[in-house]
Amino acid sequence: MNTLAVMLVVAPLLAGAVIAGASITPLGRRLADPLGVAVAVAVPAGAVVLIVTVGETTRVLWQGGWEPVHGQAIGVALVVDRPALLIVALVGLLTAAALTWSWHFLADTGASYVVLVLLFLGACDGFVLAGDVFDAFVWFELMGVTAYALTGMRVEEPRSVHGALSFGIVNTVGASLSLTGVALLYARTGELNLAAIGASLRTASADHLVLISCALLLTGVLVKMALVPFHFWTADAEAVAPTPVCVLLSGAMITVGAFAVARWWWVVFDGAVPETAIRHALLGFGAVTAVVGALMCATQRHLKRLLAYSTVAHSGVISCGIGLLSGSGLAAAGLYAVGHACSKGALFLVAGMLLNRFETLDEHELYGRGRRMHLAGAIFIVAGLSLAGLPPLGTWAGKSAYSGALADAHAEWLEVVLVLVSALTGGAVLRAGLRIFVGLGDVPDPGPDTHEEPEGDTPRRRDGFRVLAPPAVLLVLAAGLGLWPGVAAVAQRAGATMTDTGGYVDAVLHNAQVTAPEVTVEPLWQALSAGLGLLAVVLGIAFAVAGLWPSRRPRIVRAALGPVRIMVRRLHDVHRAHVGDYVSWVLVGFTVLGATLLHT
Amino acid sequence: MHEVLGVLPYAVAAWILLVGCYGIATSRSFIHVVVCLSLVQSSTYLMLLMVGWSHHATAPVFADVKPGVPVVDPVVQALTLTDIVVGGAVTALLLALTIQLAKRQGSIDPDRIRSLEEELEE
């Protein structure tokens, strides 16, 4: 069992090395795709086996047998518990979908594409399971470097290279800030193990050094989570990255980042840093991110940029869920993240099919051209509804869990943000879907040339079963989330495990048998949450209709849109920037985060 | 005087970090950006080494030092080495991307490269 848990990290890395070594022969190159997919399927399967067998207990694996003595830990630990395994399963699933979709894909890069994807998977797993802060940092950097390389994979495309550069530069600055935070925490406590740092910090109230190191440590992960104002790299990278990489960036990296914020808060800082401080920070950053992301998403016409900004908006919602600082809030954030990752993955994969077939991702250029793609069109539009959270699809299960968590935390005002995000992001996808696959609406002005190079080299095979099955499977999983009656209980108990600081510390430092605390489970199906879900979808459809027929908008709607349009145009101007501005925004965000922590 | 000297390395680390960020923010060339990024990363090396440093302590190599003699913290030195390796990988990758950009676009000025933000959907 312990070997299986370690294999979740080691298997992708080993397979990556084997594929890289074998790819010098033609036969080895042909093995890359099947072996890659097999490992990517085996990882979530292994995680599910562990979820069933490990149950609700927390297992700690000390590498090399360096177990703690009298609560003093110097070894390297992997901490395997239910929430971490659920995240590993999600990341593995997305990787499997991405690699299946891209079989024979990017053949001119040899096997390096498959190798990098497997390294990314191994790094995500290692990061999620790592029990000490420096190992977590090394996995974090490996995750980053492989992601930059994957984004810039198509080196003959200048836009792709530019996007990868922005991505790499902004994230490296964030990672340096995080490492500075690690150094300060080590200076204060003399520990690198997460549980030991936390235990040491809790013996005294937090002074400025601890607060600043908390802000530094979080900044690097918030960059990965793409919260405003750390988000500028997101759209540049996801607009130009190969489609399967977009699936991983928007589904896996955001979720893994959110998991790290939650784990580090409860294990390291809870009890030392005042709760109100982090709550204000996460709710504030989250709400602003949700609104800015939704507005930017709704006003894009490049499909992948549209989806990237929608990721930003949803990441804001996830941050709000963590900011509620409760087990139910975390459960809601987790459910929401899974619903979002699966729906968004399906949308990106269909967008990739459009790019390969029509060599453009411009919504206006694609008007009516997807009329014959019935299955792909159906997947795209249903995934749009799933993103908007039409009960019981996709993000709705998460939103329903949010209703209870928000009421517990007296933060009902966030329901408005949730409805707005669902309506605008879902509405924008529906508008694009209806325009492209049904040919509805006014004939749009195509504008300047929007030609892009396709990603694959094998046109005949592009739209076969292999490219339609992965988005279909993701969509079925997203739909099943709200229908499976046990999902609320799983999420609530995982949330309770994450918030059980004492249990984590006892399991790691004192080798105690720790089981998840009992929780009372609220059912997902309640009148309020179903009603709000429907309301968001109705508003989304209204937004899509208004976008499809601009000539038929009533005068009052046009008058009302005037000021909004000026504001959104300013927002677009801010986003049309130099990579140096992105880095300046990271420092601004860090300053705001630090000030929030210091002044509450 | 001693106190000032104790704080000085941390102040220098913060200064290097900010100078690096300033360099990136005002840069006219991606090569310069990558060099500034290395500067930002090197501030963390100084920070880590300073954390483990102590007065009158020697290097943590026990070949010619008797046990019991004070040595500086070897953990942070290991961390710094790891960090240098990571930094080297990032720098190499970003420089390779810059070369590609120069080949395909003929310019490595971040201002002159066409912005990736597209026009508004009405």
Side-chain angles (χ1 to χ4, degrees):
Chain A
M1 203 49 60
N2 293 355
T3 320
L4 182 58
V6 175
M7 285 313 274
L8 292 179
V9 184
V10 176
L13 301 181
L14 266 183
V18 168
I19 292 172
S23 68
I24 48 172
T25 64
L27 177 71
R29 256 199 298 285
R30 233 178 290 156
L31 271 177
D33 283 314
L35 191 56
V37 172
V39 172
V41 171
V43 166
V48 169
V49 169
L50 281 170
I51 286 172
V52 174
T53 51
V54 170
E56 300 283 357
T57 54
T58 300
R59 289 218 180 188
V60 186
L61 313 177
W62 293 95
Q63 304 310 305
W66 288 82
E67 299 197 1
V69 179
H70 305 304
Q72 284 289 320
I74 54 168
V76 171
L78 288 183
V79 182
V80 184
D81 59 1
R82 184 63 77 83
L85 287 172
L86 288 169
I87 301 286
V88 168
L90 174 69
V91 175
L93 179 81
L94 292 172
T95 311
L99 280 179
T100 312
W101 190 85
S102 54
W103 197 289
H104 290 316
F105 176 79
L106 294 172
D108 51 337
T109 62
S112 55
Y113 160 75
V114 179
V115 173
L116 284 170
V117 170
L118 289 177
L119 287 183
F120 180 82
L121 172 62
C124 283
D125 292 354
F127 181 63
V128 168
L129 298 175
D132 75 298
V133 73
F134 194 77
D135 277 85
F137 175 77
V138 174
W139 292 121
F140 179 82
E141 281 282 23
L142 180 63
M143 193 165 92
V145 176
T146 47
Y148 318 149
L150 281 168
T151 303
M153 197 88 221
R154 294 190 294 156
V155 285
E156 69 286 354
E157 282 277 299
R159 286 152 45 89
S160 188
V161 174
H162 184 198
L165 270 170
S166 305
F167 181 19
I169 290 162
V170 175
N171 277 266
T172 305
V173 170
S176 295
L177 293 176
S178 274
L179 185 61
T180 310
V182 172
L184 291 179
L185 281 178
Y186 181 73
R188 167 52 55 89
T189 60
E191 306 278 3
L192 286 172
N193 186 286
L194 288 170
I197 297 174
S200 170
L201 289 183
R202 271 186 284 280
T203 55
S205 72
D207 55 9
H208 285 187
L209 180 82
V210 175
L211 293 171
I212 290 172
S213 54
C214 177
L216 283 165
L217 196 60
L218 288 183
T219 299
V221 215
L222 296 190
V223 172
K224 286 270 190 291
M225 260 186 93
L227 293 192
V228 172
F230 307 111
H231 70 294
F232 286 90
W233 61 271
T234 321
D236 281 0
E238 287 181 20
V240 297
T243 303
V245 180
C246 296
V247 174
L248 295 179
L249 293 185
S250 78
M253 211 154 85
I254 302 278
T255 317
V256 165
F259 176 83
V261 171
R263 174 120 287 171
W264 293 352
W265 167 256
W266 269 283
V267 175
V268 178
F269 297 109
D270 187 26
V273 174
E275 274 196 1
T276 44
I278 195 77
R279 173 171 310 171
H280 287 167
L282 288 177
L283 288 183
F285 276 107
V288 170
T289 304
V291 173
V292 170
L295 284 174
M296 289 299 294
C297 164
T299 50
Q300 297 294 328
R301 46 186 274 192
H302 184 278
L303 273 185
K304 280 191 182 174
R305 283 190 88 83
L306 185 153
L307 295 174
Y309 279 115
S310 127
T311 301
V312 172
H314 291 283
S315 180
V317 172
I318 294 168
S319 161
C320 289
I322 303 169
L324 297 174
L325 298 186
S326 63
S328 55
L330 275 184
L335 274 178
Y336 195 92
V338 175
H340 162 254
C342 293
S343 322
K344 187 61 63 65
L347 286 168
F348 265 122
L349 293 180
V350 176
M353 288 172 65
L354 289 171
L355 172 61
N356 279 339
R357 189 180 278 210
F358 303 114
E359 308 198 349
T360 176
L361 279 168
D362 185 74
E363 192 187 321
H364 290 190
E365 189 75 36
L366 285 167
Y367 172 76
R369 289 171 75 179
R371 278 201 193 96
R372 298 236 178 117
M373 301 167 74
H374 303 296
L375 213 49
I379 292 175
F380 193 87
I381 289 169
V382 176
L385 291 171
S386 170
L387 199 63
L390 176 71
L393 303 177
T395 59
W396 177 78
K399 285 197 289 179
S400 173
Y402 264 104
S403 293
L406 292 175
D408 292 343
H410 304 292
E412 284 91 346
W413 58 275
L414 274 171
E415 289 281 11
V416 182
V417 175
L418 280 175
V419 170
L420 180 82
V421 167
S422 299
L424 285 182
T425 58
V429 171
L430 284 179
R431 180 195 69 212
L434 292 174
R435 194 173 264 164
I436 295 166
F437 295 104
V438 186
L440 285 183
D442 296 341
V443 179
D445 164 33
D449 178 37
T450 54
H451 177 263
E452 288 183 42
E453 287 301 315
E455 293 171 340
D457 319 312
T458 47
R460 294 264 163 252
R461 299 197 193 141
R462 265 181 214 151
D463 293 349
F465 173 72
R466 221 157 30 207
V467 288
L468 275 170
V473 169
L474 288 178
L475 196 55
V476 167
L477 286 170
L481 209 58
L483 288 174
W484 180 39
V487 75
V490 171
Q492 293 285 350
R493 287 203 79 176
T497 308
M498 288 292 280
T499 55
D500 182 17
T501 307
Y504 184 97
V505 173
D506 284 344
V508 172
L509 294 185
H510 306 295
N511 200 15
Q513 277 290 326
V514 177
T515 314
E518 287 296 332
V519 287
T520 50
V521 178
E522 286 184 49
L524 289 180
W525 286 94
Q526 290 182 359
L528 175 71
S529 55
L532 284 172
L534 281 177
L535 172 70
V537 172
V538 170
L539 287 176
I541 291 172
F543 174 79
V545 167
L548 286 172
W549 286 280
S551 63
R552 291 196 220 163
R553 280 178 206 159
R555 190 169 292 164
I556 182 153
V557 173
R558 279 184 214 189
L561 280 180
V564 177
R565 185 168 298 154
I566 293 169
M567 199 180 79
V568 169
R569 198 154 274 161
R570 295 291 310 153
L571 212 54
H572 276 253
D573 288 342
V574 172
H575 284 77
R576 198 175 289 126
H578 178 275
V579 63
D581 299 341
Y582 298 177
V583 171
S584 310
W585 279 110
V586 170
L587 292 184
V588 169
F590 165 67
T591 312
V592 173
L593 178 63
T596 317
L597 291 183
L598 286 173
H599 285 280
T600 34
Chain B
M1 189 59 197
H2 200 73
E3 247 173 38
V4 175
L5 283 179
V7 175
L8 191 63
Y10 296 102
V12 171
W15 169 249
I16 294 177
L17 186 108
L18 290 176
V19 164
C21 288
Y22 175 80
I24 298 172
T26 57
S27 184
R28 302 295 306 273
S29 152
F30 269 115
I31 293 177
H32 178 250
V33 169
V34 176
V35 173
C36 290
L37 198 63
S38 303
L39 208 60
V40 170
Q41 289 179 315
S42 60
S43 79
T44 60
Y45 312 154
L46 185 59
M47 178 70 94
L48 280 169
L49 289 179
M50 229 2 254
V51 163
W53 186 81
S54 68
H55 212 59
H56 300 304
T58 179
V61 181
F62 286 96
D64 54 350
V65 175
K66 289 199 183 83
V69 174
V71 294
V72 297
D73 188 346
V75 172
V76 289
Q77 304 200 340
L79 300 193
T80 310
L81 269 179
T82 316
D83 191 23
I84 289 172
V85 173
V86 170
V90 172
T91 306
L93 178 66
L94 294 182
L95 283 177
L97 288 172
T98 308
I99 292 173
Q100 276 302 324
L101 201 60
K103 273 190 197 160
R104 304 289 162 178
Q105 195 97 5
S107 165
I108 50 168
D109 181 351
D111 273 327
R112 282 186 48 203
I113 288 163
R114 198 169 69 82
S115 164
L116 295 170
E117 185 65 32
E118 319 249 325
E119 62 185 285
L120 270 182
E121 155 76 30
E122 286 301 321

